Amino acid sequence: MLIRAYSSVWMIGGFSFIIYMGHLYIWALIVVIQIFMARELFSLLRRSNEERQLPGFRLLNWHFFFTAMLFTYGHFLTQQLVNTVTSDKLLCQLVSGLIKYQMFICYFLYIAGFVWFILTLKKKMYRYQFSQFAWTHMILLMVFVQSAFTVANIFEGIFWFLLPASLIIINDIAAYFFGFFFGRTPLIKLSPKKTWEGFIGASVTTLLSAFVLANIMGHFQWLTCPRKDLSTGWLHCDPGPLFKPEYFSLPALMHQWFPWKEVAILPVQCHALAFGLFASIIAPFGGFFASGFKRAFKLKDFGDSIPGHGGITDRMDCQMVMAVFAYIYHQSFVMPPSFSVEMFLDQILRNLTIEEQQLLYEQLGNFFQARQLLQA
């Protein structure tokens, strides 16, 4: 427990520093985590005897990995990059070209890897090679689908990444301590060490933490403002109604126990309760899935990257489930279904060439001149 606590302190400290550094550094952290997860999962089904007969086969796995990374993040990050380099015509044209041909480039790289795989097929090794090919694609699906949602959450506002991630960490720590000190009743056969006492204690702790943390985080624009480019400067924005306090009067009967007559609650705290409920009840099933997977292959942990915790994958199983829910919930219940001038301008900058933008500008000028003449 001491080793695990010591590692947790270092991880939380490093995580807090990355949050302070900003959106781009958080995305870099996600990439590093993906690389470690891929390395652990690629090594899971490796057989040394077969690997010695297939030189360069492991390199092919990483080729598919970085192709998937380019496909997943290429379009998203180049869109952000357009907003960063709009003042330079040459860079803007270059980035616009990358956006236009990004899908073709990724497809060409994938086909190159596919041809590479076919050319390296070796007699008596077909079964192993095709099983590794399928395993590689399953890893890419597991790692990149969830991570793409995570990065989208980051640029919508660090709040929508930090709160769900924090709730998973809190739930994991609370479940460990409640189970360690009070656990008596087994919860699920896949994880014999998981207990009902730990599960219930962690659920209550996570719900309370969600409500409190949402109020604390909601007061910092650095966490609530969305990032529309790849700069690292300070953010200023209108926090919106979700992050503006609403005041509620306490019943007269409660005045004798509490010194306040009214309390201020951020509307986002109600959404945070939904995150807390999912993090405490549904997200742990990501951990149960990972436990079942390890049992199937007779493994204790996916790796040994973190002392006392196992591998990076052991700590990210629930986070991946939570990231998808956070993105879908934000898009469904939080994101306003309205169009703004900034959105239209953003689409113009992303999808029109410089010449097309100039033509649009001239046509709008002619339209407004004709409108002024009619009014005169």
Side-chain angles (χ1 to χ4, degrees), residues 247-317:
Y247 295 90
F248 299 90
S249 298
L250 292 175
L253 293 174
M254 299 182 66
H255 291 173
Q256 55 182 328
W257 291 292
F258 296 97
W260 311 283
K261 293 184 178 180
E262 61 179 13
V263 293
I265 296 177
L266 301 182
V268 76
Q269 289 179 261
C270 298
H271 295 290
L273 290 176
F275 285 175
L277 200 62
F278 188 91
S280 58
I281 296 178
I282 305 300
F285 281 85
F288 300 152
F289 175 84
S291 297
F293 189 89
K294 287 184 287 188
R295 282 183 169 275
F297 292 94
K298 299 180 180 179
L299 298 170
K300 183 179 184 295
D301 295 308
F302 284 103
D304 55 359
S305 305
I306 310 172
H309 291 264
I312 296 290
T313 310
D314 293 286
R315 294 276 63 82
M316 294 302 297
D317 44 16

Side-chain angles (χ1 to χ4, degrees), residues 355-367:
E355 293 76 13
E356 290 172 334
Q357 291 175 23
Q358 290 175 344
L359 179 61
L360 177 62
Y361 175 77
E362 292 171 0
Q363 290 178 345
L364 285 174
N366 294 334
F367 171 77

Side-chain angles (χ1 to χ4, degrees), residues 57-72:
F57 189 72
R58 188 56 48 190
L59 183 62
L60 178 61
N61 290 340
W62 287 107
H63 170 82
F64 283 121
F65 176 84
F66 286 107
T67 300
M69 180 178 289
L70 180 62
F71 177 79
T72 303

Side-chain angles (χ1 to χ4, degrees), residues 154-175:
I154 293 169
F155 283 89
E156 287 292 342
I158 297 177
F159 177 93
W160 302 107
F161 159 76
L162 180 59
L163 179 65
S166 300
L167 294 180
I168 292 296
I169 295 171
I170 290 169
N171 185 263
D172 187 50
I173 294 174

Side-chain angles (χ1 to χ4, degrees), residues 170-171 174-175 178 196-210 276-277 279-282 284:
I170 290 169
N171 185 263
F178 274 100
W196 274 106
E197 291 81 2
F199 182 80
I200 294 171
S203 298
V204 175
T205 304
T206 304
L207 283 170
L208 293 174
S209 300
L277 200 62
S280 58
I281 296 178
I282 305 300

